[in-house]
Amino acid sequence: MKKDQLLSRLPSSLPRLPSAAVFTRRRVLLAGAGTAVAGAAGTAGLLSLGQGAEPAAPAPAAGPPAHRAVKPSAYRLQPLTGYGPPRTAPARTVVRHEPFLRMSGRGRSMVLTFDDGPDPRYTPDILDTLAEYDVRAMFFVCGEMAADHPDLLARMADEGHVVGNHTWSHPLLTRLSRGRIRSEMERTCEVIEEAYGERPQWFRAPYGAWNRAAFQLGADLGMEPLAWTVDTLDWTTPGTRTIVGRVEHGAAPGVVVLSHDAGGDRTQSVRALRDYLPHLLDSGYHVTVPRRHYA
């Protein structure tokens, strides 16, 4: 299915959630060792403190083509038996029927998200810009890319960014069997845990195409579904100024912005971030990442 058949513009509109903890997840690990949406359209929801998703109008989504498959590493850090704090059962994740599309809270907070990486050609430049302005972002990574570049996930952990699961090879989930969807998610969770230092708590379906199985399996793996409110359409390489304009015109309390750091030539995305990020901050926006909240 062609990507442009899956796209449409999402409404823009953003409040505030507290920033995620900035301490180094990877260092902590090393120290302690230890719904349905039919077809290819995603639907909108509201990410709020301790609340579920509020339905909004369905909207299709964007994303670049799938990547080649790469075998993940078999090595993982494991705590020694009998050492360390006792294991506790993870908090229950609600099976939702639509993804979160925006944040809810106080103030003029926004979330920047980058899909399909990490890519050594573009991701480091994006991380450098975020570091220059002391801003945290979310990176929804593809497992095959993360497996090839674990150092970039380690840097994301060290600098306080949130890493989410974007499947292994960026397929259209609505065309896969339940077993294939699980495999795409599980393999990516394992690579993220190994390189980033903890398992992902957020999941984004390629092309924004969720279905019942994707919501259920994501919840089984402890992940919440997150979509977006402002699509920069940067994968179409419309020009740096166009990307900047889409972010600045769509900026509002609660907005989640979709951009890409891989899947093609992302030079324009890198340049656009350098332009719009200081303007957002000067305009009084707090660019942050959501904390996990269980309903």
Side-chain angles (χ1 to χ4, degrees):
M1 178 177 293
K2 293 183 180 293
K3 185 182 302 176
D4 58 7
Q5 296 174 322
L6 301 171
L7 298 175
S8 75
R9 295 296 300 277
L10 289 168
S12 48
S13 224
L14 170 180
R16 173 181 187 180
L17 278 185
S19 335
V22 182
F23 60 81
T24 302
R25 295 179 178 85
R26 182 166 175 264
R27 289 174 183 164
V28 169
L29 176 70
L30 294 174
T35 203
V37 179
T43 57
L46 178 68
L47 176 58
S48 57
L49 298 179
Q51 296 179 359
E54 296 178 2
H67 309 287
R68 62 182 179 81
V70 180
K71 183 178 180 181
S73 170
Y75 297 99
R76 292 174 56 188
L77 294 172
Q78 297 285 351
L80 296 174
T81 302
Y83 293 86
R87 289 174 176 262
T88 57
R92 182 176 64 90
T93 301
V94 172
V95 179
R96 304 192 184 275
H97 300 287
E98 60 273 323
F100 293 116
L101 182 61
R102 52 195 289 183
M103 297 196 326
S104 175
R106 299 182 200 171
R108 305 181 71 195
S109 295
M110 294 180 61
V111 176
L112 301 181
T113 68
F114 299 89
D115 283 10
D116 304 343
D119 188 317
R121 297 170 295 175
Y122 310 109
T123 306
D125 288 335
I126 289 174
L127 290 170
D128 288 345
T129 299
L130 295 171
E132 179 180 353
Y133 294 97
D134 194 25
V135 162
R136 312 291 175 260
M138 300 182 75
F139 291 84
F140 284 90
V141 303
C142 291
E144 63 182 6
M145 299 292 288
D148 281 347
H149 308 292
D151 56 313
L152 290 175
L153 265 70
R155 180 180 173 183
M156 292 172 189
D158 288 344
E159 297 179 3
H161 303 292
V162 172
V163 171
N165 187 320
H166 199 39
T167 72
W168 184 264
S169 61
H170 204 279
L172 185 61
L173 297 184
T174 54
R175 292 185 173 179
L176 299 186
S177 68
R178 187 181 181 89
R180 283 282 307 282
I181 295 173
R182 177 180 287 277
S183 175
E184 287 275 337
M185 290 183 179
E186 284 185 334
R187 294 174 71 192
T188 304
C189 282
E190 291 171 0
V191 169
I192 291 173
E193 183 176 16
E194 179 184 351
Y196 179 70
E198 66 182 46
R199 293 180 72 81
Q201 296 184 338
W202 302 94
F203 171 72
R204 176 173 283 169
Y207 312 102
W210 275 270
N211 60 12
R212 184 184 303 274
F215 285 120
Q216 291 176 338
L217 293 170
D220 289 347
L221 293 170
M223 298 184 293
E224 294 278 20
L226 180 64
W228 56 88
T229 20
V230 173
D231 189 349
T232 64
L233 297 175
D234 59 339
W235 60 271
T236 65
T237 59
T240 300
R241 288 305 312 162
T242 298
I243 297 171
V244 171
R246 286 169 178 164
V247 174
E248 293 183 345
H249 294 156
V255 162
V256 177
V257 178
L258 168 64
S259 299
H260 296 83
D261 64 333
D265 184 350
R266 300 295 173 242
T267 304
Q268 293 178 3
S269 304
V270 172
R271 292 174 180 168
L273 177 66
R274 292 176 188 159
D275 193 333
Y276 67 69
L277 181 55
H279 291 169
L280 290 176
L281 298 175
D282 290 344
S283 298
Y285 283 101
H286 178 52
V287 181
T288 184
V289 292
R291 280 183 177 174
R292 175 66 174 275
H293 291 87
Y294 299 95

